[in-house]
Amino acid sequence: MIKFLFKRLLLTVPTFVALMFITFLMIRLVPGDPIEVRRGERGISPERLEMLRHEMGLDQPIWKQFGDYVWGIFHGDFGISVISKTPVLHEFLTLFPATIELSFFAMLIAAGLGIPAGVFAASKRGSVYDQSLMGIALTGYSMPIFWWGLILVLFMSNTLHLTPVSGRTDLIKYFYPAVTGFATIDSLISGQKGAFADVLRHLILPSIVLGTIPMAVIARMTRSAMLEVLEEDYVRTARAKGLSTYRVIGIHALRNALIPVITSIGLQVGTLLAGAVLTENIFSWPGVGHWLTESIARRDYPALQGGILLIATIVIIVNVLVDLTYATINPRIRYGK
Amino acid sequence: MVSETITTPKSRGAFASFWNSFSENRGAVIGFYVVLAIVFIAVFAPLLAPYNPLEQFKGETKLPPFWIHGADSKYWLGTDAVGRDMTSRLMYGARISLFIGLSVMLVSMVLGVILGLASAFYGGIVDVIIIRVMDLIMAIPSLVLEILIIAVTGPSLLNTVIAITIVYLPRYVRLLRASAIAELSKDYVTAAKVSGVGKLRLMLVTVLPNCTAPLIVQAALGISDAILEASGLGFLGLGAQPPTPEWGAMLADTRDLMQSHPWVMALPGLCILITVMAINLMGDGLRDALDPRLRKS
């Protein structure tokens, strides 16, 4: 197991190096003067330009600059945002909990509805229920989520006044210190009456929007995994033993069908983060996705560079963890190639 | 060059049997006809569209579509915030979306086939480099990588196509590499090798035609994914630039009209949904008909 972990981690090293190289190149390829790009200033005097060039190490050979960049990264230096003048890492870590929270609830909705829908569709294969559930899944899978979000806001918030339009919490009514950065936990700790419910009300629409595509993928995947498992001998044996349909499907079949489904949930982290960029934009959700598009609009390239590097690193790490879980469940993977 | 060397071995009988199993799936057939209709609108948009999609009619802004009271019969689906005819804009939008979908699919498929075959045939360092680069592309969330590419190249329709092509490349490379490696161990390939077939011919004529079924399925689904991805970029203002009637960008344009004139926002999104859904329905049908191994229902 340790050998597998070591091998798997070793495989990520070239990916990570290439990633650092690409983000390093990116800021150099952006049109415009490199110093103005990094400082966000315009019309800098030639003397000051020379001074800044030296200060930022831009007069060094390119390999030395890359070395410094890598050195900085390993010491937690991901550059400084042009707009806020604060370290990119600090900004990212402040915003990231909001994205995790949103993604977590989105996945909760996606798995909570997608898995039962898939199991039900498989058990009633070919029926009207199966066809309509798979029709809904196909619609979800084809959904432009930014439009879906706006439509939901239109009905739920503007017409029916059930949910707030945007943000994480009602800042006028409730105030609580950001202890963990997770609004659900912070509002509970603060003990303010109604604060937690308010946070949940803000969470519901963005979570549904972000969870729509994963939900459709999970439902389709669960259905096909269940159909495969239902033809296995042990399911037939369980049926022959006279077990109830509920026990056969819910316990014998589902347990085995869930393995590929859980893996696919783990591997959707990247998809989820990409979806978060759009979802956070619609709901003005103060997470990293919104921050990333704001950065590009403000031409804050250092923030963009650091943000992309951090997001990709997180996805790489999560994928290793998923592989590891999978190898624990299924030993054949470990001894494979 | 590639297209000349590939000869499709399909006879009439093969097509008939494909159509037989394809038409068994009612959803797939519906999807197919909807796609045909959209292609028709896209191709003949200049003839079908009642107005120039960029022309602004002063004093006739924000008119509702025909089923809502107050509509003007001159503008079927109403007009947008600056008085442009929605029907014409949506028709031209079909052109742009299909152009993006098809060009992303074609370029990434051709590049993917070349890289995938090279990876499978040459192995060694070539294989390692190609696979590592693909892993890197897949490590970055699709939209984030597209933002990175567009930050460097600037937002435009062409750069949208380039960015999405890069993002979708790994799918084709990995697919082709896996099926080519599986084919390489089969007897007919050994027989061809023994009879002295050259490497290029072995790759393109012997092996490639046997990898096409999953490739076609992936290509169909790749078109719809690319359309969805491009409209997301358009919505963020990073894709096609206004006044281009791209569906995603049209949606973003009208966000502040959402409450007062919801149809201006609803229509482009509905077009995206219908197009993507029709292609996906067709893709599912293609998969069931072409690739019985993948059939799971």
Side-chain angles (χ1 to χ4, degrees), chain B residues 175-195:
Chain B
L175 182 76
L176 216 86
R177 178 178 174 271
S179 33
I181 286 176
E183 292 299 316
L184 276 178
S185 64
K186 290 188 181 161
D187 288 342
Y188 75 94
V189 177
T190 319
K193 270 187 194 159
V194 170
S195 58

Side-chain angles (χ1 to χ4, degrees), chain A residues 30 47 94 116 118 212 285:
Chain A
V30 166
E47 301 86 52
T94 322
T212 299
W285 192 263

Side-chain angles (χ1 to χ4, degrees), chain A residues 150-199:
Chain A
L150 293 176
I151 294 281
L152 281 178
V153 168
L154 197 64
F155 279 104
M156 306 298 281
S157 312
N158 293 350
T159 311
L160 300 174
H161 303 287
L162 290 174
T163 55
V165 176
S166 64
R168 285 176 93 187
T169 186
D170 192 337
L171 291 169
I172 298 165
K173 277 196 205 146
Y174 307 103
F175 179 79
Y176 44 85
V179 184
T180 58
F182 297 99
T184 39
I185 300 174
D186 289 343
S187 62
L188 273 181
I189 294 174
S190 76
Q192 275 186 62
K193 229 178 145 206
F196 181 67
D198 181 60
V199 168

Side-chain angles (χ1 to χ4, degrees), chain B residues 111-124:
Chain B
L111 286 178
V113 165
I114 294 171
L115 291 175
L117 281 178
S119 187
F121 272 80
Y122 292 98

Side-chain angles (χ1 to χ4, degrees), chain B residues 119-160:
Chain B
S119 187
F121 272 80
Y122 292 98
I125 188 78
V126 178
D127 186 33
V128 170
I129 291 174
I130 292 176
I131 288 307
R132 284 295 109 205
V133 172
M134 295 306 129
D135 277 358
L136 173 68
I137 294 176
M138 291 202 308
I140 311 177
S142 59
L143 204 57
V144 176
L145 182 57
E146 284 153 20
I147 288 176
L148 187 150
I149 296 168
I150 284 167
V152 174
T153 56
S156 75
L157 192 62
L158 180 67
N159 292 340
T160 304

